[in-house]
Amino acid sequence: MAASLSDQLQDFISKLNPGGIFGIDIGAHSIKVCELSGSPGKFKIDKFGTFVLSEAAIIEDEIQKPSEIVDGLKEAMSRAGIKSKIACLGLYGPNTMTKRLNVPEGSKEEIEDHIMWEAEQYITFGADESQISFDILGENEGGGNDAIVAAARTDLVENFSKILVEAKITTKIVDLNVFAISNVFEEVYKDNLEEYSQGTLLIDFGAQTTKVVIYKRGGPIFTKELPIGGGLITEEIQRQMGVSYEEAEDLKTSGDENGNLPQEIVNIINSQIDSQVSEVRKNINFYVTQGSAEKVNYCFITGGNSLLPGLSEKLSASTGLEIKTLEIFPAFKVDEKKADKGLDHLAAVSAVAIGLAMRKIG
Ligand SMILES: Nc1ncnc2c1ncn2[C@@H]1O[C@H](COP(=O)(O)OP(=O)(O)OP(=O)(O)O)[C@@H](O)[C@H]1O
Ligand SMILES: [Mg+2]
């Protein structure tokens, strides 16, 4: 099909300004936008902005408050100073999926047919109503090819793209947030990738979901989103303390007026960490059990909820792994002035948006 004039024009503009694509992560708690300069090995976070959403602006992958998201997106871009209108949008949720496949040798067409045929078996939300793409990672030891497939329901892509159109943004690339995390991880730890490729667990502890990626043999072999996150803790504080969503968020992240966490809050946090860690553990059992064929040896965590005091210790006790923070900086250069809540906070919430911004127009 011939590209429309506007597509051609966008291609032309983006080639003139190849760094001009920016990443958009519409999270349940906040929108993040990021624009990078440089290239692999020397990326710099040129522009970064966030906008904190109100309670339940997005539930699962359904946008409940579209005008707030449109305005929030514009505000986050203006705070970041992003002028580009061409974005890579990250998707997530039950209407997306990834699958690692072993594809036999063959011509390009044969490989493609095989991947599409196999992928269709795994898409629970309907292959016909989905957009499917894949990447061939390379030959594997068995003589075949390792491939990774991604799919998203077309109406999910359309619903999110509609929001971007309203904010006068063109979606040039649609990616999955779990891949963005994996791409950031590869960039940050590129000097140790061979070691980490033997089996590393990446976890993004978000507000509404916790994303798990098992990274092995040069890419993700398993991804899963668990319906747990920081929002559950906020809800529990609201319920038990009789405060609003905003007050509960403040209490959890900044403590009381003296900056101390009241004992009731500490108790709520601790009991929530216990149940969330045990949920994570249940879902990754196969990868952390001694003697398992797919055992992982390393674990990196990110996401706002990963900042909870005590979380990494409990996760370590439960999985037997040493837990490290995904240290975005200094692999990505950043001006400290961009971190109004500190570099640790910025690193925790920015990984997905940075990973999306890494995607250049091909
Ligand atoms: N210092 C902190 N201590 C504990 N929790 C924190 C802290 N800072 C932020 N959070 C929590 O982290 C969550 C936001 O993290 P993040 O920005 O990664 O989520 P999100 O990307 O918006 O959500 P999701 O990925 O689920 O769509 C919120 O629940 C927030 O309360
Ligand atoms: Mg998130």
Side-chain angles (χ1 to χ4, degrees), residues 236-256:
E236 206 45 38
I237 296 175
Q238 275 178 269
R239 205 175 60 80
Q240 290 194 28
M241 311 286 287
V243 293
S244 72
Y245 171 78
E246 285 77 15
E247 285 166 333
E249 274 289 321
D250 271 356
L251 271 172
K252 178 176 74 169
T253 55
S254 323
D256 61 17

Side-chain angles (χ1 to χ4, degrees), residues 306-362:
S306 75
L307 298 170
L308 282 173
L311 181 129
S312 73
E313 290 77 5
K314 287 190 172 166
L315 186 61
S316 177
S318 167
T319 59
L321 297 167
E322 187 189 344
I323 312 296
K324 293 189 185 141
T325 301
L326 179 53
E327 296 286 0
I328 307 269
F329 318 121
F332 289 84
K333 303 265 168 305
V334 71
D335 179 353
E336 263 188 63
K337 278 189 233 123
K338 289 193 171 58
D340 54 347
K341 290 188 185 159
L343 283 174
D344 289 349
H345 182 267
L346 180 62
V349 302
S350 64
V352 170
I354 294 173
L356 297 169
M358 277 171 66
R359 295 283 306 258
K360 300 270 164 167
I361 296 168

Side-chain angles (χ1 to χ4, degrees), residues 27-30 32 207-209 211 230 249 252-253 303-305 308 349:
H29 181 261
S30 69
K32 294 92 165 165
Q208 215 168 78
T209 57
K211 279 69 71 181
E249 274 289 321
K252 178 176 74 169
T253 55
N305 195 37
L308 282 173
V349 302

Side-chain angles (χ1 to χ4, degrees), residues 91-111:
L91 293 179
Y92 54 92
N95 292 307
T96 62
M97 71 118 219
T98 76
K99 181 83 190 160
R100 182 83 165 248
L101 296 175
N102 178 10
V103 193
E105 262 312 330
S107 68
K108 199 167 165 270
E109 286 74 30
E110 281 165 348
I111 292 179

Side-chain angles (χ1 to χ4, degrees), residues 137-155:
L137 299 171
E139 274 183 37
N140 58 30
E141 282 167 4
N145 286 293
D146 262 337
I148 184 132
V149 180
R153 254 185 85 95
T154 306
D155 54 4

Side-chain angles (χ1 to χ4, degrees), residues 59 111 118 139 142 195 203 207 235 299 342 359:
I59 298 178
I111 292 179
E118 243 196 88
E139 274 183 37
E195 178 67 23
I203 313 179
E235 260 175 46
C299 176
R359 295 283 306 258

